[in-house]
Amino acid sequence: MADECDFATDMQLKAADAFAASRLSRLALLPLAISADVCECGTPIPAARRVAVPGVTLCTFCQANAERRGVIHGRA
């Protein structure tokens, strides 16, 4: 049986997904050259992070959310 914590976690994840989706729709409007330096949430990826993690496509906030949801490890 689900308790309040499970309910709150589900609500948080739904809110985060909705936020990311809204930012992702705005990202589609950016030119390709700019979007390489911008996370899917629409925030710029800091140059230091891009140097430290070559090929990075997520900011630290989105990376943490993706790992928490298991997206990075093949779980959806």
Side-chain angles (χ1 to χ4, degrees):
M1 177 180 261
D3 61 4
E4 289 97 18
C5 290
D6 292 331
F7 180 72
T9 300
D10 288 342
M11 293 297 289
Q12 271 186 318
L13 289 174
K14 287 178 184 176
D17 288 342
F19 175 76
S22 71
R23 299 287 263 189
L24 192 61
S25 67
R26 286 187 232 154
L27 181 62
L29 301 175
L30 294 174
L32 186 57
I34 294 173
S35 66
D37 300 334
V38 178
C39 181
E40 63 187 26
C41 70
T43 60
I45 299 173
R49 178 163 169 75
R50 287 185 277 122
V51 169
V53 185
V56 68
T57 58
L58 300 173
C59 66
T60 54
F61 179 77
C62 291
Q63 181 72 39
N65 284 339
E67 288 176 2
R68 186 173 54 245
R69 288 190 318 259
V71 172
I72 300 303
H73 303 292
R75 299 181 306 247

